[in-house]
Amino acid sequence: MRTRAVVRQAVADDAEAVAAVRRVVAPYKAMSPAAVRHMLTVQSPGERFLPLVAERDGEIVAWASAGLNVWTSEPGQSELAIYVHPEHRKQGIGSELAGRLHQHLTEVGAVRVRSFVQPEGLEFARNLGYDGTRQMHYAGLELTGLPEQPPTPDGIELVSLDAVDPRAVYEADTIASLDEPSDSPLDAVEYDRWVEEIWDSPSLDRSLSVAAMAGDEVAAFTVVETAVDRMWSGMTGTVPAYRGKGLAKLVKSVALRKAAAAGITSAYTSNDDSNAPMLAVNNWLGYHRVQTELGLLRSLAS
Ligand SMILES: CC(C)(COP(=O)(O)OP(=O)(O)OC[C@H]1O[C@@H](n2cnc3c(N)ncnc32)[C@H](O)[C@@H]1OP(=O)(O)O)[C@@H](O)C(=O)NCCC(=O)NCCS
């Protein structure tokens, strides 16, 4: 009989093992050990982030985390994620992790929790009081046979993000993010936090990320994160005045080509089911759906 898994707080040196569990459970999320280490070490204090692992016989078999969403003006919004290695399921590990995290979130003042689950996790989540609200589609693309790169419109210059003032990228990101479908508006993103968590993230490859500049203004941009042979599109955004001109298609086309030239073989991304323009862009690029996760919400009793 196997020994019981022990739940403990995750530390930075768990990054490699946590990334491995994440890769088995959700290979389409393409998160490197360096990015996990960054997640474990860099947080806003207001987030009250609690990372947990379950360990059995010295092996990490599950990862879970929860914290307050500090990027929205709505108080008490929080997020929770649980990844149990498929060989260690149905043994109470997920329930123990959920219990610890719900207790933590209640203690730090959360009133509502959002979580995304794979279809096989739906019953588990429903039993914990979660209810469905939205669908998130994950899609992948092999970086061969990309469609022809569209022409660059007059007045637009394409540059890689390492040549752009981070403040200009922040402006475009925060403006565009307001229109990304979500349950809580992303309307309270502080510049310093953004620099720490996004701009300085070790997974962000600024040389592969692309901006379409209109003078000094970022009209559109796409952010590339890398994990060995895979890339993840962290965010693509076009500021409202420049939408519908093909700029999202253009910046992603260029970024995917750069990634292919740098030896990346596949690309992944996620889109809310209701984000018709972004789905149109990704379908045009040739992405195919690899997974749908269900976005669920649960109230925490006050
Ligand atoms: C999604 C977004 C980046 C698109 O930027 P854009 O520069 O306007 O995109 P493009 O002009 O390159 O292409 C838009 C495509 O969406 C299509 N489209 C626009 N509105 C649409 C709608 N309501 N339904 C279906 N398709 C739509 C356009 O027709 C076009 O496709 P087509 O060229 O095949 O006709 C932009 O709307 C945005 O910043 N949204 C908010 C941030 C966001 O959600 N980012 C994605 C996070 S995953």
Side-chain angles (χ1 to χ4, degrees):
M1 193 178 141
R2 290 199 286 189
T3 51
R4 198 174 159 273
V6 175
V7 170
R8 63 165 171 82
Q9 188 156 346
V11 295
D13 283 347
D14 293 323
E16 194 89 30
V18 168
V21 169
R22 288 182 57 106
R23 190 161 167 145
V24 170
V25 175
Y28 48 87
K29 287 188 182 168
M31 196 185 228
S32 68
V36 174
R37 181 175 280 270
H38 187 252
M39 176 170 60
L40 287 168
T41 49
V42 178
Q43 300 120 27
S44 307
E47 215 177 316
R48 310 296 301 271
F49 186 68
L50 178 61
L52 298 175
V53 288
E55 203 171 13
R56 169 177 281 151
D57 299 330
E59 184 198 351
I60 287 179
V61 298
W63 148 257
S65 66
L68 294 167
N69 178 355
V70 291
W71 286 11
T72 184
S73 60
E74 285 180 10
Q77 304 305 310
S78 65
E79 289 156 356
L80 175 151
I82 300 177
Y83 294 69
V84 180
H85 191 290
E87 287 165 17
H88 298 268
R89 291 187 183 163
K90 311 263 184 219
Q91 295 166 38
I93 297 174
S95 301
E96 185 176 346
L97 290 165
R100 292 272 289 263
L101 292 174
H102 286 140
Q103 185 183 345
H104 170 73
L105 288 173
T106 306
E107 284 166 9
V108 301
V111 295
R112 192 171 77 157
V113 201
R114 117 106 41 247
S115 194
F116 285 93
V117 299
Q118 295 171 338
E120 62 265 35
L122 184 58
E123 195 185 333
F124 170 80
R126 285 242 163 90
N127 289 339
L128 290 170
Y130 283 84
D131 218 345
T133 54
R134 52 195 334 125
Q135 289 188 17
M136 187 64 90
H137 299 305
Y138 288 82
L141 172 67
E142 297 308 308
L143 296 186
T144 46
L146 291 167
E148 202 177 320
Q149 185 177 316
T152 305
D154 288 345
I156 294 291
E157 190 193 352
L158 296 170
V159 293
S160 62
L161 274 203
D162 46 16
V164 186
D165 178 357
R167 182 64 79 165
V169 181
Y170 165 80
E171 299 289 346
D173 189 14
T174 46
I175 291 169
S177 294
L178 289 175
D179 295 327
E180 191 177 357
S182 68
D183 294 297
S184 304
L186 274 173
D187 58 356
V189 183
E190 284 176 27
Y191 180 65
D192 291 347
R193 300 269 85 86
W194 180 90
V195 168
E196 258 184 14
E197 286 186 37
I198 295 183
W199 191 254
D200 286 343
S201 165
S203 55
L204 171 60
D205 190 326
R206 288 184 217 147
S207 69
L208 300 181
S209 302
V210 176
M213 303 296 294
D216 290 338
E217 188 189 2
V218 173
F221 68 97
T222 192
V223 162
V224 173
E225 299 171 13
T226 52
V228 198
D229 55 337
R230 301 169 186 203
M231 62 161 271
W232 171 259
S233 289
M235 173 67 180
T236 300
T238 301
V239 299
Y242 291 94
R243 288 192 186 151
K245 300 178 192 301
L247 292 183
K249 285 182 170 178
L250 180 59
V251 288
K252 264 196 117 164
S253 288
V254 176
L256 291 169
R257 281 178 166 73
K258 277 167 166 274
I264 303 284
T265 55
S266 50
Y268 292 89
T269 191
S270 68
N271 302 111
D272 191 283
D273 183 54
S274 64
N275 198 341
M278 200 63 225
L279 285 165
V281 170
N282 288 334
N283 289 339
W284 175 79
L285 285 161
Y287 280 86
H288 57 273
R289 205 161 284 179
V290 292
Q291 179 77 48
T292 293
E293 291 193 355
L294 305 150
L296 308 174
L297 290 170
R298 178 201 144 149
S299 297
L300 287 173
S302 49

